[in-house]
Amino acid sequence: MNIVFHTLEGSISRALSDYLQAQFQLDMPVATEQPKQSDFGELALPVAFQLARQLKKAPKAIAEQLAAGLAGKIDGVAALEVANGYLNVRFDRGYYANQILTGNDQDTQEFSTRKTIVEHTNINPNKAAHIGHLRNAILGDTFVRMMKAMGTRVEVQNYIDNTGVQVADVVAAFHFLEKKTADEVRALTLQPRFDYLCWDLYAKISQLEDGKVWRGETIHEIEAGHGPLSEMGHIVADAIVECHLNTMLRLGVQYDVLPRESEILHLQFWASCFEQLKERKAIYLETEGKNSGCWVMPGSAFRENAGEEDSKVIVRSNGTVTYVGKDIAYQLWKFGLLGKDFYYRKLRTYADGHPCFVSQASPDGATPADFGNGVAVFNVIDSRQSYLQDVVAAGLRALGYNDQAARSIHFSYEMVALTPRTCVDLGIELSEEDKARPYVEVSGRKGLGVKADDLIDQLIARARVEVDSRHESKPEASRHLVAHQIAICALRYFMLKFTRTTVIAFDLQEALSFEGETGPYVQYAAVRAQNILRKTAERGLPLPNFKAVCNAGTFAAAFANEDLWQLLLDISRLDSILAAAVENGEPAALAKYAYQLAQGFSRFYHDFRVLDEPDEDRRNVLLWMTQYFATQLERTLSTLGIAVPEYM
RNA sequence: GCGCCUGUAGCUCAGAUGGAUAGAGCAUUUGCCUUCGAAGCAAAGGGUCGGGGGUUCGAGUCCCUCCGGGCGCACCA
C-alpha cells in the first residue's frame, strides 16, 4: 500500500512540533489540513492561529517566523509560504512522485488476530428480497471490504429468523389457504422463483382477517419445533434462504456463517442469558402495574431521566422471551460471553472456494468451526431499530460488559423509499397527498415495492442495450458478463453514494441512467486507463520498467504541470481516504472519492494524449500515471465491490 | 409528551477533527469526435447554508431557541 502522503504529513508535523519545542518550549501536536484551494499548496498548518494568544503575537508574524526557521530543513518539502496567517507547505513534486514509484509496494499491514464481526442482510426468509434489503447488504458488504482492505480480520454473519411470524404467515397461507401438504410445498421450492410465489402469497394472507388466527396456530407449532407445520416452516425458510443467497451473490455479497433462530431456541441460548441477567440483577420481576408478571429491564438502564413507564419487557407474563431478550443472548454469543455455541455444517462453497456455514442444533454431522468471539460487533440494521439496539447494548452494560457494550455498534442507515414517478412506473396507485411528497415509502407487506431480482434484471437489460449498441462484434457471453458488471456497479454505486443518514428516494430512471455521478462513469474511467495500457502493447511498445526510466528529475519536469500534479496527489490519497471512511463508518466517503478520481482521470484522458506524446521522458511519466491510476482506482472499486469490465 | 435523525443551488446530494473565494451530479443554455471509443471533455447561469441569538481571531460545522420534515417510544419480530 502507498502511504507517501501520510508519511510526509507525519514528518512535517513532527518537524514543526520539534521546532516549537526548541524555540518556545511548547509541547503540542501540530494539526494539518488540506487547503481549500490547490494553489495554496498541499498542506496547510493553522498552527499560528493556535499560538497567537499564547505568544501574544499576530498569526502572520508567527507563521513567518516558522517559515523562515524551517526553510529547506524538511525532506520532500519545496517551500513554506505564509498566507492569511496560515503556514502553507509545498511538496517537492519530483521527490513525492519518486517516493511513490520506489516505495515498498508490499502490504506491510499485519493481520490482526482479533476479529471484528459484521452482521448484515438479515432478511426474513419468507419471501423475495426487496430494494431495502439491497441497501443493507451492499452497505454491510462494502464496510466489510473496507475493513479487510485495512488489514482487519472480519467475520460476516447473516442472521436467519426462520421461526418468526413472517415465516408462519407464509406457512399458514400454504396450509390453510392453498391446502398444500409439506411434500407439495417441497415440490414448489424447486421452481425457479419460489421466493416470488411466497411474495404474492404473503401479500394475499396479510389482507385476510382469518390470517391472524391461522398465524397463531402455525407459530405455536413452529416454536414447539415439531409437527407438519413446523416441517413446512423449515422447507419454506431453507428454500428462501437459498434464494436470498443467490440474489446476494449476483451483487458479489458472500457470508461466512448463517446463525439461525431455530438453533437459538433449541440450544436454549436464552436460558443462559436469562440466568446471567437475573444473577446480575439487570432485570427484575415486576409485581404491579401494566407489566405485572413480566421480567423487565428498568428504563434507567438505557435512557436518561427514565420513568417507570420506560421499562422494557424482556420476558412476558406467560414466560416467553421477547425479541430483545433473544437479541441480547445472541449479542452475548457474538462476543463469546454466552458460554454456549452452535453446531455448524457447510451450506455451500462459493466459486472462489470460500465456504458458507449454517448453524445446526445437534453435533451429528457437524463440521468443527470457529465463529463468534469477536472484539467488536457491527450490526447493520435500519435506523428505525435504534431504540431496540440501545436496549441490547444496555443489557450488556447491565451485565458488566461495558467494553463490549461500547463495541456493539449499530451501523444504522435510513430506509429506501420510492419517488412518486417510480411508483407510477410500477403501477402503484398514489393519493394526491403522496404524489406531492418527495418520496413514498412502500410497505413490502402490501406486496408492492420493488423486488431485488427484478431490479437487477432491469439494470442488466438496460446495460445490455448499451453494450450491444457499441460492441456488436463481441461474443454473446462476453457481452452478458460486461452488462452484468455494469449493472451491479450502477446499483452498488447508487446505494453507496448517499451517506447513511440520508433517506434514498429510489428512482428507476435515475438508477438506470449511466451519466453523471454514477458507477458506470467511474468504471468507464478505469476501462479507458486499461485501454491505454493495452494499446501500448498492441503498438509494439511494451510497458517500460518505470523504475529504470523515471526519476525525480523526469517527474519534476512533468509535474510542473498543475493538473498532472493535482491528479497524482488525488490518486495517492486513497489510503488516507479509506482510513477515514472506516473510522467514520461511512462507505459513501470512499464512493465519492472513486468518483473524484474518475473525474480527474477523464480530464487527464482528454487533455493528454499519452501514446502520441513525442517526448519520451514525458510519455513515460504519463504512462506511469496511467498505470498508477488504474491500480489505485481498481483497488478502490474492488473495495466497493465493483468489477472493471474488459470493455465498455 | 419524550428520544434519535434531518433542513445547503430549481431538483437530488457532498461538505471528518470549527478555518482562506460553500462544492458535485441532474435539469437548462452553449461549444468540442483527424478512434488511447463522446457511457466523455469544456464553459455559463443558478446560494440570506430554515429563522433568530450565542461561543471566538474565525461558524454550513459547536451551544441555546423557534419553525419545518422523517423515524422511533408494544407482553410484534
Side-chain angles (χ1 to χ4, degrees):
Chain A
M1 73 184 286
N2 183 284
I3 49 165
V4 174
F5 190 92
H6 183 73
T7 309
L8 195 50
E9 187 179 26
S11 66
I12 290 166
S13 174
R14 232 172 300 114
L16 258 293
S17 271
D18 292 347
Y19 187 78
L20 293 176
Q21 176 79 40
Q23 291 290 310
F24 307 107
Q25 288 76 51
L26 288 171
D27 189 17
M28 58 181 277
V30 174
T32 59
E33 55 188 53
Q34 208 184 121
K36 268 273 188 290
Q37 281 171 268
S38 56
D39 49 308
F40 285 131
E42 285 69 57
L43 269 186
L45 309 175
V47 59
F49 295 110
Q50 297 162 328
L51 292 172
R53 186 183 289 173
Q54 271 178 287
L55 299 177
K56 296 197 195 325
K57 284 170 77 175
K60 190 182 171 205
I62 298 169
E64 278 166 358
Q65 189 183 346
L66 295 173
L70 284 161
K73 292 189 178 153
I74 309 171
D75 275 351
V77 173
L80 292 168
E81 296 169 4
V82 178
N84 301 331
Y86 280 93
L87 184 59
N88 291 329
V89 182
R90 288 190 190 281
F91 289 176
D92 178 333
R93 300 179 179 187
Y95 172 94
Y96 189 80
N98 205 45
Q99 285 293 113
I100 292 173
L101 174 63
T102 59
N104 198 348
D105 262 359
Q106 72 191 13
D107 198 340
T108 49
Q109 298 246 359
E110 281 178 29
F111 257 76
S112 152
T113 50
R114 305 189 315 164
K115 182 167 69 182
T116 296
I117 290 173
V118 176
E119 177 195 327
H120 67 75
T121 306
N122 298 7
I123 312 175
N124 278 312
N126 73 325
K127 62 176 191 299
H130 62 66
I131 192 168
H133 299 132
L134 289 177
R135 187 177 193 180
N136 184 306
I138 290 171
L139 210 46
D141 179 66
T142 303
F143 193 55
V144 168
R145 289 167 185 266
M146 286 165 61
M147 284 196 288
K148 284 182 176 171
M150 293 289 293
T152 306
R153 223 177 112 210
V154 187
E155 177 176 303
V156 185
Q157 303 185 353
N158 173 10
Y159 179 72
I160 310 293
D161 181 5
N162 58 348
T163 60
V165 293
Q166 312 247 357
V167 171
D169 278 342
V170 172
V171 170
F174 274 123
H175 180 77
F176 295 101
L177 212 56
E178 307 282 305
K179 313 283 183 201
K180 302 276 187 208
T181 64
D183 283 339
E184 284 168 334
V185 173
R186 190 176 280 116
L188 283 174
T189 63
L190 299 176
Q191 71 179 59
R193 293 203 151 160
F194 179 65
D195 53 342
Y196 280 38
L197 187 152
C198 291
W199 174 291
D200 294 336
L201 211 49
Y202 181 66
K204 203 162 153 191
I205 194 166
S206 297
Q207 285 164 357
L208 297 181
E209 268 308 306
D210 287 339
K212 286 169 193 160
V213 183
W214 294 338
R215 171 202 281 185
E217 200 171 318
T218 310
I219 199 158
H220 184 76
E221 228 181 87
I222 286 179
E223 278 180 2
H226 50 76
L229 294 183
S230 169
E231 186 193 353
M232 205 185 285
H234 276 292
I235 293 167
V236 169
D238 290 353
I240 299 282
V241 165
E242 288 293 333
C243 293
H244 291 166
L245 291 184
N246 291 336
T247 301
M248 293 307 164
L249 197 52
R250 300 178 83 187
L251 301 166
V253 179
Q254 302 186 351
Y255 309 91
D256 294 315
V257 64
L258 314 179
R260 301 189 304 181
E261 176 101 347
S262 52
E263 275 74 58
I264 291 193
L265 292 178
H266 293 141
L267 294 167
Q268 305 197 313
F269 274 28
W270 167 244
S272 305
C273 179
F274 196 22
E275 287 312 309
Q276 286 196 46
L277 287 167
K278 281 193 285 196
E279 193 182 326
R280 303 288 184 111
K281 302 201 178 345
I283 58 177
Y284 66 94
L285 184 59
E286 183 62 83
T287 54
E288 54 194 37
K290 64 183 166 92
N291 292 337
S292 182
C294 300
W295 286 88
V296 303
M297 185 182 295
S300 58
F302 50 89
R303 182 174 285 186
E304 281 180 49
N305 307 322
E308 292 264 337
E309 69 282 358
D310 291 322
S311 309
K312 179 72 193 164
V313 170
I314 303 297
V315 178
R316 305 181 187 102
S317 52
N318 68 4
T320 56
V321 60
T322 59
Y323 163 69
V324 205
K326 278 184 280 195
D327 224 22
I328 294 172
Y330 179 36
Q331 192 76 0
L332 285 173
W333 170 79
K334 289 183 202 163
F335 281 110
L337 298 171
L338 189 70
K340 279 190 175 173
D341 198 1
F342 298 102
Y343 297 101
Y344 306 96
R345 70 185 159 83
K346 198 185 284 182
L347 185 64
R348 65 163 68 183
T349 304
Y350 293 108
D352 63 359
H354 175 250
C356 172
F357 288 83
V358 64
S359 62
Q360 68 174 38
S362 96
D364 300 340
T367 307
D370 179 25
F371 295 116
N373 243 320
V375 291
V377 173
F378 289 85
N379 293 322
V380 183
I381 308 177
D382 75 79
S383 65
R384 288 176 291 198
Q385 305 215 37
S386 60
Y387 163 68
L388 293 170
Q389 286 290 302
D390 285 348
V391 176
V392 170
L396 264 60
R397 254 194 320 273
L399 289 170
Y401 302 125
N402 287 311
D403 192 39
Q404 287 84 349
R407 290 168 189 274
S408 297
I409 295 149
H410 178 196
F411 201 82
S412 74
Y413 61 92
E414 281 292 342
M415 62 179 177
V416 180
L418 300 180
T419 59
R421 75 170 179 186
T422 293
C423 291
V424 173
D425 287 348
L426 295 169
I428 298 170
E429 283 184 34
L430 294 180
S431 64
E432 286 308 312
E433 193 187 348
D434 279 341
K435 281 179 191 165
R437 291 172 187 266
Y439 57 83
V440 182
E441 190 191 356
V442 284
S443 156
R445 178 164 276 260
K446 291 172 194 155
L448 303 174
V450 184
K451 294 185 195 81
D453 281 311
D454 283 350
L455 178 64
I456 297 169
D457 289 343
Q458 286 207 45
L459 283 163
I460 292 176
R462 170 75 179 227
R464 183 59 196 270
V465 170
E466 298 290 326
V467 172
D468 285 349
S469 74
R470 287 155 220 250
H471 303 281
E472 270 184 289
S473 58
K474 299 281 184 185
E476 160 72 25
S478 153
R479 277 183 282 163
H480 177 78
L481 173 66
V482 170
H484 182 266
Q485 288 171 325
I486 293 171
I488 298 308
C489 169
L491 178 58
R492 289 190 70 124
Y493 192 87
F494 192 87
M495 288 294 178
L496 291 169
K497 73 171 177 175
F498 302 97
T499 53
R500 293 195 280 127
T501 54
T502 303
V503 175
I504 296 182
F506 186 81
D507 188 275
L508 263 178
Q509 295 176 41
E510 198 183 326
L512 290 167
S513 161
F514 296 148
E515 280 166 25
E517 196 200 330
T518 64
Y521 173 90
V522 182
Q523 261 182 331
Y524 189 50
V527 168
R528 283 172 135 188
Q530 288 301 350
N531 284 348
I532 293 177
L533 298 174
R534 197 179 51 239
K535 287 273 176 175
T536 311
E538 283 173 13
R539 289 190 186 185
L541 303 166
L543 274 190
N545 174 4
F546 294 116
K547 287 190 185 177
V549 300
C550 297
N551 55 50
T554 56
F555 281 141
F559 289 118
N561 179 296
E562 197 58 34
D563 291 338
L564 274 184
W565 169 239
Q566 289 306 324
L567 180 57
L568 178 72
L569 271 178
D570 277 344
I571 300 171
S572 72
R573 240 172 227 138
L574 168 56
D575 291 284
S576 17
I577 298 284
L578 179 62
V582 168
E583 174 70 23
N584 301 334
E586 193 50 272
L590 191 62
K592 287 277 173 197
Y593 170 75
Y595 178 67
Q596 281 161 16
L597 216 52
Q599 244 182 344
F601 185 78
S602 292
R603 212 166 294 140
F604 166 89
Y605 184 88
H606 185 264
D607 293 346
F608 302 92
R609 310 219 112 227
V610 177
L611 298 183
D612 298 335
E613 172 59 48
D615 182 274
E616 193 181 340
D617 281 348
R618 191 172 164 82
R619 186 175 67 236
N620 284 336
V621 173
L622 294 178
L623 262 178
W624 174 73
M625 275 281 281
T626 303
Q627 191 194 45
Y628 183 40
F629 166 80
T631 310
Q632 292 286 82
L633 183 61
E634 276 172 37
R635 275 183 63 203
T636 309
L637 287 177
S638 113
T639 305
L640 295 171
I642 293 171
V644 177
E646 203 185 317
Y647 55 86
M648 271 181 87

